[in-house]
Amino acid sequence: MGTIPNVTMKWCVKKSTCKWCEQPINNGTPVVTVFFWNKGNENHRGWNRSYSYHPQCWIAQGLDYLGRNPYVQQVRVKKPTLCEEDRRKRYLLVRKFHKAEQQRKNCGSFPDSLLSEIRLTQQMIDVMLEVATLGGVPESWAERL
Ligand SMILES: [Zn+2]
C-alpha cells in the first residue's frame, strides 16, 4: 500500500545483483534502479526499498508482469452529445412529460378522470418514445407511468 516506484537508469558505481536474473551488475555498466517510496509513518520515512536490474532484465520483468496481467480494453460508454437544437427539443419534451404527469396527479375524482388519466399516460409514452431518440429516456421515467 502506498508505494510509488521511482525508476532511474545510470552507470553502475557499486556492484550489485540483478533482482531478475540474479547475476551481478558490474561497475561501469548500465543499471536500472527502482526505488519504492513508502509514504511511511511517524517513525519511518524515506525510500524503504531499492532494487537493481540489468536494463534488459528490467524490460523482461515488465513484459513478464504484463504477460501475467493481460491487456483489458477499457470500455467507455460515451453518451451521445446533442446539438443545440436537439437539446432544446429534449428540454421541451422533458417539460411536457412532467406537465402530463402533474396533470394526471391532479385528475382527482372527476367522473371522466379515468379517460384523462389514460390520455395523459399515452402522452407520457409518446414523449418517452421521442426522447429515446434524443439522448435516451431518463432512468426514472419508466417507473412513473
Ligand atoms: Zn539481470
Side-chain angles (χ1 to χ4, degrees):
M1 274 298 285
T3 55
I4 304 159
N6 186 318
V7 182
T8 59
M9 195 192 291
K10 60 189 180 187
W11 295 112
C12 181
V13 291
K14 188 178 153 229
K15 193 175 169 181
S16 50
T17 302
C18 175
K19 189 176 188 313
W20 182 248
C21 70
E22 295 177 343
Q23 296 299 304
I25 301 169
N26 296 312
N27 283 355
T29 63
V31 58
V32 170
T33 308
V34 183
F35 294 100
F36 287 90
W37 173 254
N38 189 301
K39 281 175 185 165
N41 51 45
E42 286 164 21
N43 304 317
H44 177 82
R45 286 196 159 274
W47 302 105
N48 69 336
R49 274 191 297 168
S50 105
Y51 299 128
S52 299
Y53 297 84
H54 296 111
Q56 67 273 23
C57 290
W58 169 247
I59 301 286
Q61 69 81 34
L63 291 175
D64 179 72
Y65 171 81
L66 294 179
R68 284 181 282 109
N69 297 274
Y71 177 66
V72 178
Q73 192 173 4
Q74 302 291 313
V75 179
R76 292 185 61 195
V77 179
K78 197 166 170 262
K79 283 199 169 178
T81 40
L82 299 173
C83 66
E84 192 65 39
E85 194 192 343
D86 284 349
R87 272 215 302 275
R88 174 82 187 146
K89 277 188 201 161
R90 183 180 166 85
Y91 168 76
L92 291 174
L93 285 168
V94 168
R95 228 173 51 170
K96 197 168 156 188
F97 184 90
H98 289 153
K99 196 177 161 200
E101 190 182 32
Q102 197 55 48
Q103 283 177 335
R104 197 176 62 172
K105 261 185 208 152
N106 296 339
C107 274
S109 52
F110 298 116
D112 63 348
S113 71
L114 187 62
L115 276 177
S116 298
E117 269 187 57
I118 291 169
R119 185 177 53 81
L120 288 165
T121 302
Q122 185 57 52
Q123 220 177 76
M124 287 161 77
I125 291 169
D126 289 344
V127 170
M128 277 176 88
L129 292 176
E130 275 188 80
V131 157
T133 65
L134 288 168
V137 180
E139 253 174 59
S140 64
W141 280 18
E143 301 159 14
R144 285 152 71 170
L145 283 178

